[in-house]
Amino acid sequence: MRQNMEQLYSTMGISPEVKAFGDRILENLKERFDAIDEMAEYNQLKVIHAMQTCRVSAECFQTSSGYGYNDTGRDRLEDVYAAAFHAQAALVRPQIACGTHAIAVALAGNLRPGDELLSISGKPYDTLEEVIGIRPSVGSLAEYGVTYAQVDLLEDGSFDLEGIRRAVNPRTKMIEIQRSKGYQTRPTLSVAQIGEAIAYVKSINPAIICMVDNCYGEFVEATEPTDVGADLMAGSLIKNPGGGLAPIGGYIVGKKEYVDRAAYRLTTPGLGKEVGASLGVLQSFYQGFFLAPVVTAAALKGAVFAANVYEKLGFPVVPDGKESRHDIIQAVEFGTPEGVIAFCQGIQAAAPVDSYVTPEPWAMPGYDSDVIMAAGAFVQGSSIELSADGPIKPPYAVYFQGGLTWPHAKLGILMSLQKLYEKGIVILER
Ligand SMILES: *Cc1c(COP(=O)(O)O)cnc(C)c1O
């Protein structure tokens, strides 16, 4: 028997007040959503065009094992990434364990003892601190004699051009820009802003390699950092470009010389891109990349919806409900541990996998406070799937992202609101 939509939401645990509140918010988001759909359409065509140009065929999905010599599907996929991102070359491999690994390989492959790495977007993502050696760590770039310097973004989130000019010196071999805010409260950088900063760096010294940490940014805009002068960019396949299907992996795209150097680090000098078996994952990589523009759009709609729901209820949200988007992460400040916990429990309760478990805050290694995480994901730790986490410390913010489909993202946000409502943390008119 077909229930009406309200009944079905009610069966799922969403009360009529919560559903009605969400619907009122959505009435005002039509134009926003249309723009997101148009972006998805543009990026979908871009990906299909790349697949057609590279003559993707059914043979590309065949597997290889052992050394992986002559794995044409693997090589063709790298051509597709390069074509879609308008770059010379790409390295797209299941042997790249995560986003941190992709970035680390790009850095270590291109830096040599005595070189300096300069971050021009402030402190890099937490896990990169040990890669670089900002926090002393075994095997870091610092141990290999690569020094590090950093220029923070200005108060308003823009690049500090004057500071960059002062920081660049003859040893500056590479600059790094992190597009997404990650778990900071600064604004995410737009591709246009990144392009301006790269042009500025190149005007000081055109030989400096400009690398962008593109995690969470892919397909949010019509262009990518490689369209505006980035020599290298890297990211994770269990975020946007894997489209939810890739079970592992990372990518590096950019100038051939620099991608090759990264490959000599990922495998070995001499072997580079020639080895590395694809072990049966290629179809998921291709198909995930194909779906990625639409999946990213679903995640973006979820982020915009959440921003507007919680802004309306008086909570600080970053980005705010109206701002343009350059990544898929949404932060909501609840101001209390109870708010963070209720939100994450709602996201978990709406998941297709592990919906019956109740996440609780715990002392995770590497964090200086308890953290609560919600993720009922098909791929473990995948953050293109609907997921949230919140450190239990002021300002008691949750960071959430993903949703492979818009209806799921919507359900997750309504369920988070339901939990806050049931706990009396928010009040909704009936
Ligand atoms: C996720 C992320 C990383 C690291 O990726 P992992 O897959 O978690 O190793 C690096 N930088 C940014 C901005 C990220 O969002």
Side-chain angles (χ1 to χ4, degrees), residues 98-100 103 125 127 178 180 182 213 215-216 236 239:
C98 59
T100 305
I103 296 160
Y125 198 75
T127 53
Q178 183 181 309
S180 169
D213 170 354
C215 283
Y216 288 131
S236 164
K239 294 180 182 172

Side-chain angles (χ1 to χ4, degrees), residues 97-103 124-128 176 178-183 186 213-216 235-239 249 329 381 383:
C98 59
T100 305
H101 189 200
I103 296 160
Y125 198 75
D126 272 15
T127 53
L128 291 170
E176 202 239 356
Q178 183 181 309
R179 178 172 173 184
S180 169
K181 64 187 162 302
Y183 299 126
R186 68 158 168 98
D213 170 354
N214 204 32
C215 283
Y216 288 131
S236 164
L237 297 200
I238 64 168
K239 294 180 182 172
I329 300 179
S383 49

Side-chain angles (χ1 to χ4, degrees), residues 82-269:
F85 293 142
H86 309 128
Q88 290 175 356
L91 188 63
V92 185
R93 302 286 169 121
Q95 285 81 13
I96 299 178
C98 59
T100 305
H101 189 200
I103 296 160
V105 162
L107 294 175
N110 285 282
L111 291 160
R112 294 292 179 270
D115 289 345
E116 185 155 285
L117 169 68
L118 173 65
S119 165
I120 63 168
S121 51
K123 192 182 86 63
Y125 198 75
D126 272 15
T127 53
L128 291 170
E129 291 185 10
E130 287 178 89
V131 169
I132 296 166
I134 300 171
R135 274 185 281 147
S137 184
V138 177
S140 68
L141 290 168
E143 283 198 345
Y144 286 89
V146 173
T147 59
Y148 171 75
Q150 176 177 315
V151 178
D152 290 339
L153 293 169
L154 296 173
E155 199 78 4
D156 66 356
S158 66
F159 287 101
D160 177 4
L161 299 184
E162 190 51 37
I164 293 169
R165 199 181 50 76
R166 276 197 307 269
V168 169
N169 65 61
R171 291 197 303 108
T172 308
K173 174 73 170 290
M174 205 167 173
I175 60 129
E176 202 239 356
I177 298 171
Q178 183 181 309
R179 178 172 173 184
S180 169
K181 64 187 162 302
Y183 299 126
Q184 294 170 278
T185 46
R186 68 158 168 98
T188 285
L189 296 161
S190 70
V191 171
Q193 274 178 300
I194 290 171
E196 285 161 23
I198 291 173
Y200 184 73
V201 169
K202 297 278 183 186
S203 77
I204 303 170
N205 177 359
I208 294 173
I209 304 169
C210 295
M211 176 176 110
V212 176
D213 170 354
N214 204 32
C215 283
Y216 288 131
E218 298 89 356
F219 301 123
V220 173
E221 297 186 58
T223 54
E224 301 289 341
T226 41
D227 289 301
V228 295
D231 298 303
L232 276 176
M233 68 181 191
S236 164
L237 297 200
I238 64 168
K239 294 180 182 172
N240 311 15
L245 294 186
I248 190 171
Y251 78 90
I252 299 168
V253 303
K255 296 240 166 77
K256 183 171 185 308
E257 176 191 352
Y258 306 138
V259 171
D260 283 345
R261 284 170 180 265
Y264 291 129
R265 171 59 53 153
L266 177 66
T267 66
T268 78

Side-chain angles (χ1 to χ4, degrees), residues 277-293:
S278 53
L279 300 171
V281 299
L282 285 176
Q283 187 184 336
S284 70
F285 281 19
Y286 277 101
Q287 202 170 349
F289 196 57
F290 168 75
L291 292 176

Side-chain angles (χ1 to χ4, degrees), residues 22-38 301 304-305 308 321 406:
D23 286 344
R24 282 200 297 279
I25 297 289
L26 279 174
E27 278 166 22
N28 296 317
L29 294 179
K30 201 164 172 342
E31 260 172 57
R32 260 337 256 297
F33 279 28
D34 285 349
I36 292 170
D37 285 336
E38 195 182 319
K301 287 179 185 173
V304 170
F305 180 48
N308 282 278
W406 155 240

